Amino acid sequence: MVAIAVQSVLGPKGLADAAAPLSDAARAARADWLVPVVRVGAAVAALGSLLALVLGVSRTTLAMARDRHLPHALAAVHPRFKVPHRAELVVGAVVAVVAATADVRGAIGFSSFGVLAYYAVANASAWTLTRRRTARPGSSRPSGWPAASPWPSPSRRPR
C-alpha cells in the first residue's frame, strides 16, 4: 500500500531519483508538516528491524557455538535471563562497528544479502536432518505440523 501510494505521488522517475522517497512523497503531497513524522517512523522501523536481526543472528551464533562451528565461549547462556549474552554482545559489537564505519546504504545492502544467505543456509541444513529426528513413524513431515500450514496440528497427541 505504501509503495503504491508513493509511486502514485512521485511517479516512476521521481521514485527512482528519490533519496528519501517517503519524505519526498509527503513534500509532493504538500504535507511538509508530515516529513519529520515520516523520518522518525522510518528510523524506528529501521531500528526495530535491526534489533530483530541482531537477536536472530545471536541465536544462530549460539547454536553454531554449541556445535563448535564458532568458539564455544559464545555458547554461554545467562543464568538469570536465559539469553545468549556473549553472542548478543559480539553480534551487537560487530553491528555497531559496521554502522559506525561503513556507508549506511552499503551496510543495508550487505545486511540484506547476509539475511538471504542466512536463510539459505538454514533451509539447506534442513535437508541434513534425518527422518528419525524430524518426523513421526510413517510420516514425511515434522511431528505435529500438517503440510502447507504454519500452525501445529490440533490432532497432535502429547508423548
Side-chain angles (χ1 to χ4, degrees), residues 4-150:
I4 292 169
V6 170
Q7 183 150 351
S8 67
V9 171
L10 296 179
K13 176 85 169 103
L15 183 57
D17 293 339
L22 296 178
S23 296
D24 292 351
R27 281 191 203 94
R30 294 187 178 96
D32 291 337
W33 60 272
L34 198 55
V35 171
V37 174
V38 168
R39 287 181 184 255
V40 168
V44 169
L47 181 62
S49 177
L50 178 65
L51 289 175
L53 285 172
V54 167
L55 291 176
V57 172
S58 67
R59 265 81 180 158
T60 302
T61 302
L62 167 72
M64 291 177 71
R66 282 182 175 167
D67 289 344
R68 306 245 183 217
H69 297 296
L70 290 174
H72 194 63
L74 296 175
V77 175
H78 194 277
R80 179 175 172 204
F81 299 110
K82 308 292 187 222
V83 297
H85 60 291
R86 289 183 188 163
E88 287 180 353
L89 289 172
V90 168
V91 170
V94 169
V95 168
V97 168
V98 170
T101 59
D103 172 51
V104 173
R105 289 183 183 165
I108 290 170
F110 181 75
S111 172
S112 298
F113 172 77
V115 169
L116 289 174
Y118 164 74
Y119 285 131
V121 168
N123 284 301
S125 67
W127 291 104
T128 66
L129 297 175
T130 64
R131 182 178 187 95
R132 181 179 52 79
R133 290 173 47 193
T134 62
R136 291 183 186 167
S139 173
S140 63
R141 61 181 185 264
S143 177
W145 293 88
S149 173

